[in-house]
PDB file of all heavy atoms in Angstrom:
ATOM      1  N   ALA B  78     -12.234 114.638  80.448  1.00 98.00           N
ATOM      2  CA  ALA B  78     -11.911 116.060  80.240  1.00 98.00           C
ATOM      3  C   ALA B  78     -12.021 116.825  81.576  1.00 98.00           C
ATOM      4  O   ALA B  78     -11.599 118.010  81.577  1.00 98.00           O
ATOM      5  CB  ALA B  78     -12.903 116.622  79.184  1.00 98.00           C
ATOM      6  N   PHE B 195     -24.365  97.668  95.937  1.00 98.00           N
ATOM      7  CA  PHE B 195     -24.371  98.668  96.932  1.00 98.00           C
ATOM      8  C   PHE B 195     -23.433  99.797  96.612  1.00 98.00           C
ATOM      9  O   PHE B 195     -23.683 100.986  96.844  1.00 98.00           O
ATOM     10  CB  PHE B 195     -24.027  98.130  98.308  1.00 98.00           C
ATOM     11  CG  PHE B 195     -25.251  97.540  99.038  1.00 98.00           C
ATOM     12  CD1 PHE B 195     -26.035  96.508  98.468  1.00 98.00           C
ATOM     13  CD2 PHE B 195     -25.617  98.059 100.312  1.00 98.00           C
ATOM     14  CE1 PHE B 195     -27.133  96.062  99.173  1.00 98.00           C
ATOM     15  CE2 PHE B 195     -26.700  97.490 100.982  1.00 98.00           C
ATOM     16  CZ  PHE B 195     -27.475  96.481 100.415  1.00 98.00           C
ATOM     17  N   ARG B 201     -24.098 106.835  93.241  1.00 98.00           N
ATOM     18  CA  ARG B 201     -25.226 107.833  93.126  1.00 98.00           C
ATOM     19  C   ARG B 201     -25.217 108.828  94.192  1.00 98.00           C
ATOM     20  O   ARG B 201     -25.389 110.013  93.993  1.00 98.00           O
ATOM     21  CB  ARG B 201     -26.552 107.057  93.140  1.00 98.00           C
ATOM     22  CG  ARG B 201     -26.786 106.203  91.903  1.00 98.00           C
ATOM     23  CD  ARG B 201     -28.222 106.139  91.516  1.00 98.00           C
ATOM     24  NE  ARG B 201     -29.066 105.547  92.548  1.00 98.00           N
ATOM     25  CZ  ARG B 201     -30.211 105.002  92.253  1.00 98.00           C
ATOM     26  NH1 ARG B 201     -30.758 105.069  91.016  1.00 98.00           N
ATOM     27  NH2 ARG B 201     -30.971 104.459  93.190  1.00 98.00           N
ATOM     28  N   LEU B 257      -3.535  91.177  84.396  1.00 98.00           N
ATOM     29  CA  LEU B 257      -4.099  89.948  84.982  1.00 98.00           C
ATOM     30  C   LEU B 257      -3.518  89.701  86.360  1.00 98.00           C
ATOM     31  O   LEU B 257      -2.325  89.778  86.539  1.00 98.00           O
ATOM     32  CB  LEU B 257      -3.758  88.715  84.072  1.00 98.00           C
ATOM     33  CG  LEU B 257      -4.228  88.778  82.608  1.00 98.00           C
ATOM     34  CD1 LEU B 257      -3.584  87.634  81.817  1.00 98.00           C
ATOM     35  CD2 LEU B 257      -5.723  88.639  82.581  1.00 98.00           C
ATOM     36  N   VAL B 277       4.085  80.861 113.629  1.00 98.00           N
ATOM     37  CA  VAL B 277       2.847  80.123 113.638  1.00 98.00           C
ATOM     38  C   VAL B 277       1.669  81.035 113.338  1.00 98.00           C
ATOM     39  O   VAL B 277       0.804  80.708 112.515  1.00 98.00           O
ATOM     40  CB  VAL B 277       2.673  79.380 114.972  1.00 98.00           C
ATOM     41  CG1 VAL B 277       1.237  78.911 115.112  1.00 98.00           C
ATOM     42  CG2 VAL B 277       3.617  78.191 115.022  1.00 98.00           C
ATOM     43  N   GLN B 290      -9.070  81.253 100.780  1.00 98.00           N
ATOM     44  CA  GLN B 290      -9.539  81.652  99.388  1.00 98.00           C
ATOM     45  C   GLN B 290      -8.922  82.945  99.016  1.00 98.00           C
ATOM     46  O   GLN B 290      -9.567  83.963  98.871  1.00 98.00           O
ATOM     47  CB  GLN B 290     -11.121  81.732  99.408  1.00 98.00           C
ATOM     48  CG  GLN B 290     -11.723  80.390  99.775  1.00 98.00           C
ATOM     49  CD  GLN B 290     -13.241  80.536 100.062  1.00 98.00           C
ATOM     50  OE1 GLN B 290     -14.001  79.772  99.548  1.00 98.00           O
ATOM     51  NE2 GLN B 290     -13.638  81.472 100.873  1.00 98.00           N
ATOM     52  N   GLN B 301      12.275  74.404 107.837  1.00 98.00           N
ATOM     53  CA  GLN B 301      13.587  73.763 107.967  1.00 98.00           C
ATOM     54  C   GLN B 301      13.535  72.551 108.802  1.00 98.00           C
ATOM     55  O   GLN B 301      12.889  72.546 109.884  1.00 98.00           O
ATOM     56  CB  GLN B 301      14.616  74.791 108.555  1.00 98.00           C
ATOM     57  CG  GLN B 301      16.016  74.373 108.265  1.00 98.00           C
ATOM     58  CD  GLN B 301      17.032  75.609 108.216  1.00 98.00           C
ATOM     59  OE1 GLN B 301      16.685  76.659 108.664  1.00 98.00           O
ATOM     60  NE2 GLN B 301      18.151  75.421 107.638  1.00 98.00           N
ATOM     61  N   ARG B 357      -3.145  63.529 106.196  1.00 98.00           N
ATOM     62  CA  ARG B 357      -4.082  64.658 106.461  1.00 98.00           C
ATOM     63  C   ARG B 357      -4.378  64.798 107.940  1.00 98.00           C
ATOM     64  O   ARG B 357      -4.512  63.850 108.629  1.00 98.00           O
ATOM     65  CB  ARG B 357      -5.406  64.322 105.696  1.00 98.00           C
ATOM     66  CG  ARG B 357      -6.517  65.309 105.942  1.00 98.00           C
ATOM     67  CD  ARG B 357      -7.737  64.855 105.104  1.00 98.00           C
ATOM     68  NE  ARG B 357      -8.868  65.705 105.332  1.00 98.00           N
ATOM     69  CZ  ARG B 357     -10.014  65.584 104.737  1.00 98.00           C
ATOM     70  NH1 ARG B 357     -10.178  64.574 103.791  1.00 98.00           N
ATOM     71  NH2 ARG B 357     -11.032  66.398 104.954  1.00 98.00           N
ATOM     72  N   THR B 377       0.954  66.593 105.939  1.00 98.00           N
ATOM     73  CA  THR B 377       2.371  66.375 106.048  1.00 98.00           C
ATOM     74  C   THR B 377       2.729  65.272 105.089  1.00 98.00           C
ATOM     75  O   THR B 377       1.859  64.678 104.457  1.00 98.00           O
ATOM     76  CB  THR B 377       2.756  66.020 107.495  1.00 98.00           C
ATOM     77  OG1 THR B 377       1.855  64.982 107.939  1.00 98.00           O
ATOM     78  CG2 THR B 377       2.587  67.215 108.440  1.00 98.00           C
ATOM     79  N   LEU B 395      -3.344  73.473 104.062  1.00 98.00           N
ATOM     80  CA  LEU B 395      -1.896  73.775 104.056  1.00 98.00           C
ATOM     81  C   LEU B 395      -1.129  72.501 103.770  1.00 98.00           C
ATOM     82  O   LEU B 395      -1.293  71.516 104.423  1.00 98.00           O
ATOM     83  CB  LEU B 395      -1.504  74.346 105.401  1.00 98.00           C
ATOM     84  CG  LEU B 395      -0.025  74.781 105.634  1.00 98.00           C
ATOM     85  CD1 LEU B 395       0.338  75.912 104.712  1.00 98.00           C
ATOM     86  CD2 LEU B 395       0.242  75.096 107.089  1.00 98.00           C
ATOM     87  N   GLY B 439       6.000  88.224  93.191  1.00 98.00           N
ATOM     88  CA  GLY B 439       5.751  89.621  93.162  1.00 98.00           C
ATOM     89  C   GLY B 439       5.668  90.314  94.538  1.00 98.00           C
ATOM     90  O   GLY B 439       5.940  91.507  94.644  1.00 98.00           O
ATOM     91  N   GLY B 464       1.309  92.807  85.252  1.00 97.00           N
ATOM     92  CA  GLY B 464       0.814  94.144  85.610  1.00 97.00           C
ATOM     93  C   GLY B 464       0.812  94.168  87.147  1.00 97.00           C
ATOM     94  O   GLY B 464       0.913  93.161  87.784  1.00 97.00           O
TER      95      GLY B 464
END
Side-chain angles (χ1 to χ4, degrees):
Chain B
F195 274 57
R201 292 214 296 201
L257 299 170
V277 164
Q290 301 169 131
Q301 199 151 19
R357 175 180 179 177
T377 49
L395 180 66

